[in-house]
Amino acid sequence: MNSRPTARIQSHPSHQLADDGIRRPPTIPRLNSHTSSASSQLPGSVVDPNSEGGKNWSCGKKESEAKAGTPRNELRDGDGFVGGSQPDLGASKQDLERPGLGKGTQAFDSAPTHEQSNRPRSQPLLAFPMRPGNSKSMNNAGRDGHETSQATIPQNTGLDPTNIATLLPGDSFWQGASGNDKTRRGACRVADFFSWQAKHPEDALTEQVVKHGFSDKPSNPQHETNTARPSLWSHLKSKQGLQTLSSLLVTVLEKRQAVGHITTGSTFKPPPRITMPDTRRETWLRDLANPNVPVRRQSKHVPHGIKGKALLEQCLNKNIPIPRAVWLVKCIGANEIRGLKRRGVSGAFAMGGELKWVKEWTVFVQQFIDSLISLCGQQDWQQKMQYGTRLATQIFEERLLDREQYLDWLLTSLETTKLHQLPMWLLLAQIYWRSLISNRQRGKRLAEALLGHLDSILAEGVDTVYQALIDRLRALLTTLIVSHRGCLILPATWEKYKHLFQAPSELSSESKLIHACANLENRNKRLICKSSGPPSTHSNPTRALVALLDAFDQNVRFSELSVQCLGIFSDRRQLIATVMTWASSKYRTGDYRIYLVARLLRNWQAVGLDVDDAVLSFLRFSATSATLDQTNVFRILAELVRSGHFSMGRYLQWLVSEGCLVEDNDCKFFHMQLLAELPTQRLPKHIVNLRQSLLQQTNRDFAHRKPDEEDDFIALQQRVPNLFSRTTADPTVVSVKHLSIPTKLELGRRLRQRIQEYTKPNDFSKLKAKADEAAVLEEVSAISNEDFCASRELLEDCDDFAILADMISVAASSNDESVLASVTDTLHYHARTFAAIGAFNPLSKMVVERYCNLRMRRATSRDFLLALRDVIAIIQCDPRVPLLVERDLAHCDQKTAVAVCSPVSDTNETLQPSKLDPNEEIERIFSSGNSMDEPTMSRLFEKIATRMKQHIDLKGKGVEAANFSCWLYWLRTFDEKKFEVLVHDWLLVLLEEGHREYLRHALCSLAGAGCLPLGSFINSTAVLHHQDKLQLGPNLSQFAIEDRSALVLNMLIPHDVPSLPHLHAPDAYRLRVCQHMYCQKNPETVLSLVQRALGSTDTAAIREALNDRVLAFVVQRLALDSNAVMTAFEPSGESAPVAFATKRLADKMIEVGGLPGFAKLSFLEQVEKLVKLADDLSLPVSILALRQLSRTFELDSSSFSGPDAISNDVFSTSLEAAVSAGSSTWPDLLQVMPLEIAQKVREHAEDTILSVSSCAVSETDLDAEQNAKALERFMSLVEATSQIRVSPERAAFAETLTRQLKAIAEAIVRPEDHLKDVNGSTPSFVLLIPTKRPWLNAILYLININKSLFFDSPASPDAQKCLLDVLCSLLREPRLQTCPDLSEHIFDLLISFSDHLSPDLRAHFSELYASTSSVDPRFAFLFGSSTPPDAWLALAQPCPLPTTPAAATAAATSATATATATGSMAPPPPQHQQHQQQQGVPRSQQHLASAKHVEWKTSPFVFNRWELLQAPPPAGENDTSLSLSLFGARQK
């Protein structure tokens, strides 16, 4: 018969040392089906990575493995992975469950090679047994039959038992756990069935066997000779039988314990090393790699000279099986360590040398793995990498290297690796996953490495090449998020990586993952002391609504704004009161507020809101508010009454019922004035009569002129004489600003009616329009540009922008392009107000359409194009329109030059003195040619400038103001660069002269001509400022430079310019538009000019910088971007004049805002007023005033009136009062205060919390509520200042915190020692924790924000030790486990502190909390476990007990104390019980109980893993040993 291929039998890890390398008897070919379910539950299953998906479990090798040529001499761990079961990380079985990476070992006997196992049979197996005479074949079969695989055994040999046979578990049954019959054929043996092999007694055909059959039962089973029943039954059936049996079992256990003691040290000697030639050494290594060569032959000696990285490379190159390679590593390592000891070094030095050698060996393993990874992409790299990884992992698991150093190297490599090598390091991280996440230090580094790589990949953009890598990184992070969140507590880097935790929760619908991400975010924010927002803005609807209204412009959709406002406030009455307060506040600017709020109220009334009731509620407190502009309140209500959206009758009824008009009511004057300002044109007669009667009851003169009175109508005719056919115009302009609101509205109504009637037939209507052109208007507006400008000025004085919008809609139909230019400038300047009215988009569309219609019939004027180009930038129109405007502007510039033959300089008489009028002379020069040289151009420009001065001196007589802009534009067309130089020098001269009228006229003419932007003018002033500083001499002082800044500021901020005869009205308005555009686009430049002007020592310059226009601009910028304003007004140095001037600006804004005489108050009064004044609207101004106040007080405290005060104490007291009053703005005030003040406030709040918390330990129900309110108030102060760095001088505060934490913890954990309720009894823990928990949370929060005190002070180690002792005691307190969030808070705080502990303290806490048998896994995670896995081993040495009674008593006492301390022994039974036990035992057995007791002394047993070598199998035929582990005993 042919020899059969052999198969390796797997062994369970629990008895590997006893079974590895032992030859087994032949296995039963078939396993009955009825035992498969039971056997599937047994341990010891082995993962076959070569099976499909790694899901087929087997006890032996697969046929597929034999065909694939997998080495048969490798044993795999039952769990398929190093270190036990792993989390599902998304890796496949082939990646994570490689063979040889477990704890299995190699069999040391020979096994067939790959070629032998695949050799086909030359003959089939016979169906009858082997002849008995062939003993050699039988012996071979009996010896090697255990290696026969199922794949090579035929199924129909006739040697199989029947299916109904009884099965008993065999030796290898306990090694498999699969329920598959075909893979467990050798796991069981069949009862009373033996395959015929000519060795069994049944095979001997004797006469007895032939006649009676074979039987293995004894002939006389009733007479048992080898039983202990007769000798024991007499004792067991007596009354003391149970005690006798107990004594016997105790004696057996004592004997078992005595036998199991390790009484001698290790005498192991590794195989010696000898020097071999290279050829012999190669032969030895090849034999070791050959499974057919037993290890016994190799274990006689090992070659010398193979060590370090070369050893690992030899194992790789020779493909030595992993168990044999580990055996070789242990042999060489043991010899190296013995060599260190033979050098005469002992004790600590020998231990140090061994540790040094182990570290060097670890470096060699690291270099070996690095070299394999660097070979990525080369031939056979995958097989080499697989072998190297398995070998290194086996070395790591058997603790043959420095694990800490190895894991640190792995993490460092993972952190610094490139993307092309990252997958390999991720695979290695998954192999050592459990070791990496078992410790906080390593787990933190692992998490940060994964987050860093994912963030860098996503920052470069998601690429399909890296998508698999991104998925794997996210899978690993998801595992950490769900199962190991302690590794992701990263307060230092959370802000950098927090966006990466949003993707897993957004992509996954699992509630567990979403909850884990939210929990992780809250825990990290709690450690970095960052909530979802500052206390002042968090959940503050008023602040949100004010910010929404401040951001309104022409691009905001009104419908969306209305819905957003309704969504912010659920209380509609409070919503309307807030928008009314915003529109009438003195700390906001702009007429658009009146129309926006009026439109919002109309819209909300249309959807069912009771606007009248909300407005009346607002009037209750607005009547006496000093920070509200009552005129704006009147205008809002006038607009509502005008449109019929406010009930005048209900208001009058409310006035009477509330008694608002009685003499002693503070609101009387306000309501009387409001009644007088409301229009009555559309009111019923009885309402008008009631209003008039209420007005007549007052003592004040509220008699109103009727709108149709002659004097008011005459004022309208004087302002716009041409529209009302007045032949003679009165040169005196009548002001209408003092008129009442009803009168202004009536004037606007009459003016609109007249403008609507002032039309004329359209000249273009006679032309036949083409089919593709828009319809031509039959009538157009006949208003002139002069009348339009006058009407516009009148309506702006009346503040009636609704009528102005109607006038623009009428004038936009004009064919006069100068009118259209003025219309466009007006629309641009009041864009925000028209958008609030709802007319901006229709009017802008109308202007654009008018331009498109006109340009198809004639050339468009340049003024209209310039105005249209600016307004197109802020509207939404067809993208082709800006291109058309730019093209038309270029066409206008080309047509400007006069087509003549010769240049201007060719004419000799061009600039010679003549008798012509100066205006005519300039016109003649321009018409004399189309080119001009530089001298001629300079002389002509000087002539125009001189003429302009004469025009101003003559008050506009002698020349039209519009001619200057035309002349400048014509001059610019000759040479643009030369013209810019001339204008630059001219403006510098005007600035040096400081003539305000000349400079304004020059800017108006340049702006009207479109020749110079304001940016160039500002650059000119900057150049002048720099030159003056360089040339500063005795005649030029510093304040002279700043005076020019005030002049430039006056020219830059737009303001209402009256109609002066020497100014061209369209040019002046065009300048206002340019100023408005520049201030909106360059607010920083304007603010810097304000700061420079305030630094002047000239009173006039400072007064110029404090005018109403500058204040309005600063207030507007504070509302839009307060940080930029604060930065601009920060003085660059210790300049006291600048600081005091800036404070005057802030004081002026405060006084205008409703606190007159504020600058004259004392320092204490100013601080109190500012803190009380600060609300959601006045907050930016209050912050600016507080900053300037504190700075000026530091520079010169004597400048303040009143008693002296310490600024820190004043601010602290004021802020505490604001907190007590429930103010929502005090955190913002605190954040802008100087660092010293904020730090003082924080320290005061912390000290107060500690002092109040000391009372909370023994507080009663009477003061609990009061203390809780105090805690909430002062914790708000601490949270607002949590980002301020703690002063090192406050180091003693750390000890106070620790002491207070300990006191509160004891009060919670052991309340019986500290607390008594009103009845004198101790409150229960369930009732106590809700009242004491806020104090514990407060102390924990204070510890967190003052963490630096525990590390920066000289006594830091002691402070850390005391604090961590208290925290660890709290963490392991069982009663606190009922509050998981509190325990989580304590655990996170311990994590934060453990990241910065010194190695000594970490080792101390590891030994104290992580080394006991019942250790909390959280402590092992925090500090690491210092207990090695073999620490339970000890060397036991017997020590006889003393014979004297006194010594025996002392020894017994010592033993009892030791047993009590260790908890390992029970107290001995009483003496009479021992006597009774001895009476029930025969004399022959009493020696078991009366044997001499021996005391065992234990000492640490050093378990050297380098000496743990598997013993080779013994020689002989029967080499099958019995596994004593089946009996739970120890082998002697």
Side-chain angles (χ1 to χ4, degrees), residues 684-736:
K685 187 174 181 180
H686 67 281
I687 298 296
V688 177
N689 293 336
L690 178 59
R691 167 183 173 274
Q692 191 65 25
S693 63
L694 291 176
L695 288 175
Q696 291 177 356
Q697 292 177 4
T698 61
N699 296 328
R700 299 178 182 272
D701 183 14
F702 285 102
H704 287 268
R705 296 173 299 169
K706 296 182 179 181
D708 55 351
E709 288 183 355
E710 188 65 25
D711 52 352
D712 295 334
F713 186 67
I714 291 175
L716 176 62
Q717 293 177 347
Q718 289 180 353
R719 297 288 295 268
V720 194
N722 296 333
L723 292 179
F724 295 94
S725 303
R726 288 179 62 91
T727 56
T728 58
D730 191 352
T732 304
V733 177
V734 180
S735 176
V736 296

Side-chain angles (χ1 to χ4, degrees), residues 515-684:
H515 172 73
C517 290
N519 173 262
L520 198 59
E521 182 178 5
N522 294 333
R523 293 170 67 179
N524 279 281
K525 285 185 176 180
R526 182 170 55 193
L527 285 182
I528 61 178
C529 306
K530 183 175 182 181
S531 59
S532 57
S536 60
T537 58
H538 181 52
S539 302
N540 188 350
T542 303
R543 187 78 62 87
L545 180 61
V546 168
L548 188 64
L549 296 175
D550 286 337
F552 176 81
D553 57 11
Q554 64 276 0
N555 297 320
V556 176
R557 286 190 173 185
F558 176 79
S559 58
E560 296 179 357
L561 176 65
S562 177
V563 173
Q564 291 175 357
C565 292
L566 291 174
I568 292 176
F569 272 99
S570 58
D571 187 355
R572 305 310 186 192
R573 180 178 294 184
Q574 187 178 2
L575 170 65
I576 295 177
T578 303
V579 296
M580 290 283 291
T581 304
W582 172 79
S584 56
S585 175
K586 295 180 180 179
Y587 297 100
R588 293 296 185 273
T589 59
D591 292 318
Y592 76 97
R593 296 176 296 151
I594 286 87
Y595 296 95
L596 178 60
V597 171
R599 189 181 177 190
L600 285 172
L601 296 180
R602 295 189 193 106
N603 183 269
W604 294 340
Q605 190 180 61
V607 297
L609 267 68
D610 190 356
V611 174
D612 293 342
D613 180 68
V615 170
L616 294 178
S617 300
F618 167 75
L619 293 178
R620 283 189 178 94
F621 73 89
S622 64
T624 57
S625 178
T627 60
L628 298 182
D629 189 355
Q630 296 181 357
T631 304
N632 287 0
V633 178
F634 301 158
R635 291 178 61 186
I636 293 173
L637 294 180
E639 289 294 331
L640 294 177
V641 172
R642 183 184 188 181
S643 59
H645 290 82
F646 182 71
S647 176
M648 187 70 172
R650 187 175 178 180
Y651 171 60
L652 296 176
Q653 182 181 5
W654 177 80
L655 283 178
V656 176
S657 62
E658 292 288 333
C660 297
L661 303 180
V662 296
E663 292 295 334
D664 56 348
N665 196 321
D666 297 335
C667 307
K668 176 183 177 181
F669 178 76
F670 171 81
H671 289 289
M672 288 292 98
Q673 189 174 3
L674 176 58
L675 278 178
E677 296 292 341
L678 294 180
T680 59
Q681 283 80 6
R682 296 185 179 183
L683 298 179

Side-chain angles (χ1 to χ4, degrees), residues 957-977:
K957 298 180 180 179
V959 64
E960 292 291 337
N963 292 347
F964 292 105
S965 59
C966 296
W967 292 343
L968 292 174
Y969 171 64
W970 290 343
L971 187 61
R972 180 175 175 269
T973 58
F974 288 100
D975 190 345
E976 184 174 351
K977 294 183 178 180

Side-chain angles (χ1 to χ4, degrees), residues 118-137:
N118 292 338
R119 182 184 304 166
R121 300 188 185 92
S122 60
Q123 299 178 8
L125 279 174
L126 299 179
F128 51 85
M130 186 183 299
R131 291 185 176 88
N134 193 357
S135 61
K136 182 177 180 181
S137 300

Side-chain angles (χ1 to χ4, degrees), residues 1091 1126 1129-1143 1163 1166-1167 1170 1183-1200 1207-1208 1211 1232-1237:
Q1091 199 267 348
M1126 303 295 177
F1129 287 139
E1130 280 293 331
S1132 57
E1134 298 295 332
S1135 177
V1138 176
F1140 279 97
T1142 308
K1143 185 185 180 301
F1163 176 76
Q1166 288 187 9
V1167 173
L1170 287 176
I1183 290 175
L1184 177 63
L1186 274 175
R1187 296 183 68 168
Q1188 302 303 325
L1189 177 62
S1190 61
R1191 181 168 183 81
T1192 53
F1193 184 82
E1194 293 176 2
L1195 293 175
D1196 187 10
S1197 59
S1198 61
S1199 60
F1200 294 90
S1207 61
N1208 295 347
F1211 280 109
V1232 300
M1233 288 183 181
L1235 180 62
E1236 309 81 40
I1237 297 177

Side-chain angles (χ1 to χ4, degrees), residues 937-1009:
M937 188 174 183
S938 301
R939 290 193 296 269
L940 182 57
F941 184 85
E942 185 179 355
K943 195 175 189 66
I944 295 174
T946 304
R947 185 57 180 160
M948 186 180 295
K949 289 184 178 181
Q950 295 176 358
H951 172 76
I952 296 173
D953 295 338
L954 295 176
K955 304 298 182 182
K957 298 180 180 179
V959 64
E960 292 291 337
N963 292 347
F964 292 105
S965 59
C966 296
W967 292 343
L968 292 174
Y969 171 64
W970 290 343
L971 187 61
R972 180 175 175 269
T973 58
F974 288 100
D975 190 345
E976 184 174 351
K977 294 183 178 180
K978 177 61 177 177
F979 177 80
E980 291 179 358
V981 173
L982 293 174
V983 170
H984 179 269
D985 296 339
W986 181 39
L987 292 178
L988 290 181
V989 172
L990 294 179
L991 281 173
E992 291 178 355
E993 294 178 354
H995 199 293
R996 197 176 301 263
E997 296 297 331
Y998 292 165
L999 187 58
R1000 180 179 293 112
H1001 197 291
L1003 293 176
C1004 286
S1005 300
L1006 290 172

